Amino acid sequence: MYARRKINVAIDGFSSCGKSTMAKDLAQAVGYTYIDSGAMYRAVTLYAMRNAMFDDSGIDERRLADDIAKIDIRFSKNPKTGRNETFLNGECVENEIRSMDVAARVSAVAAIGFVRRALVVKQRAIGRDKGVVMDGRDIGTVVFPDAELKIFVTASPEIRAQRRVDELVAKGVAVSFDEVLANVRERDHLDMTRRESPLMKAADAIELDNSYMSIAEQQAFLLAQFHRVTGRL
């Protein structure tokens, strides 16, 4: 039973590290709410793409700033899978936001200050009452700096790229390993060097290199850390 003292769990790390799978499984195991913060940035990116805000020079930040208040992002649990799905202005966009087209543009959108500030407000509101597992790039450093449990996940770029390829192929999307690896490395660079909330390990975060860990091993590790922090046996 997990009805006693609730905490917030922040899981940060590089792209395609399996953060979302780890966070979803942990949330389900302990009865917490799972929030994929990256999905929120992907949803904003998809909105910008649909509204022709990108061109060869980048994104039209002025237009996006004018529209940011109109972008409503919510999560709703799919009764068949028990998983949260992302809704953009009332439309389920869970599959669309996972495309390579969105992946190629999301880091640029996530680096925009007013976008991050708007989404951080939403993320903090979700976690106000605790009992949340949230994954992303700046959860332990910016969104929930006082989170009781912080995990920083890493793995080699090659392993992360292969995981992404496997995921996309399973969905019927044909991609090349080299294309995905280049995207992974570019996103790493953009995430770590952006001015607004760059990707970094919080000083009190526990680092987890899951390059050669199974999903079961990762879940066992997370549950052990959760039990340690909450004092539950």
Side-chain angles (χ1 to χ4, degrees):
M1 297 295 292
Y2 298 93
R4 288 187 287 163
R5 173 177 169 260
K6 287 186 176 182
I7 66 171
N8 281 335
V9 181
I11 301 180
D12 290 307
F14 294 94
S15 65
S16 302
C17 266
K19 299 186 304 297
S20 295
T21 298
M22 295 168 63
K24 288 175 187 175
D25 289 346
L26 177 62
Q28 188 170 40
V30 302
Y32 277 22
T33 298
Y34 164 68
I35 299 297
D36 177 0
S37 73
M40 301 175 78
Y41 290 98
R42 285 172 174 267
V44 174
T45 303
L46 179 62
Y47 179 92
M49 291 168 61
R50 286 179 168 182
N51 287 275
M53 294 183 185
F54 285 96
D55 58 27
D56 292 340
S57 63
I59 186 170
D60 188 334
E61 293 190 22
R62 179 174 296 180
R63 286 187 58 206
L64 183 57
D66 288 342
D67 281 10
I68 194 67
K70 304 175 186 177
I71 303 176
D72 180 61
I73 302 168
R74 298 177 187 270
F75 296 93
S76 180
K77 184 173 290 186
N78 183 317
K80 292 183 179 179
T81 64
R83 304 287 198 181
N84 273 353
E85 293 183 338
T86 310
F87 283 73
L88 171 62
N89 292 337
E91 175 192 355
C92 181
V93 293
E94 187 62 31
N95 290 330
E96 283 187 81
I97 63 173
R98 308 298 174 182
S99 71
M100 282 299 296
D101 286 342
V102 172
R105 295 173 171 84
V106 65
S107 288
V109 172
I112 300 172
F114 66 80
V115 173
R116 298 203 72 85
R117 289 189 289 273
L119 295 189
V120 165
V121 169
K122 295 178 183 292
Q123 291 156 9
R124 285 177 174 166
I126 293 170
R128 186 174 295 126
D129 296 326
K130 304 287 187 176
V132 166
V133 181
M134 189 177 294
D135 72 281
R137 304 290 192 280
D138 63 347
I139 310 306
T141 54
V142 176
V143 181
F144 298 146
D146 58 348
E148 293 85 350
L149 176 58
K150 300 177 186 178
I151 306 291
F152 187 86
V153 191
T154 184
S156 72
E158 291 77 12
I159 286 176
R160 289 185 283 129
Q162 188 59 58
R163 289 173 179 169
R164 182 64 174 151
V165 169
D166 293 344
E167 178 186 355
L168 290 169
V169 169
K171 294 179 179 179
V173 180
V175 292
S176 73
F177 174 81
D178 289 342
E179 175 190 7
V180 176
L181 179 59
N183 175 254
V184 165
R185 286 176 168 160
E186 180 181 13
R187 289 184 66 186
D188 287 352
H189 174 73
L190 291 172
D191 288 342
M192 291 187 293
T193 59
R194 67 182 179 226
R195 294 177 61 184
E196 191 85 20
S197 304
L199 169 65
M200 65 176 65
K201 177 186 172 185
D204 55 347
I206 300 166
E207 183 168 326
L208 173 63
D209 186 334
N210 69 355
S211 295
Y212 301 103
M213 294 177 70
S214 67
I215 291 177
E217 289 171 333
Q218 295 171 51
Q219 189 59 22
F221 173 86
L222 287 178
L223 278 171
Q225 297 304 319
F226 180 85
H227 291 320
R228 177 184 61 80
V229 171
T230 59
R232 302 187 178 103
L233 300 177

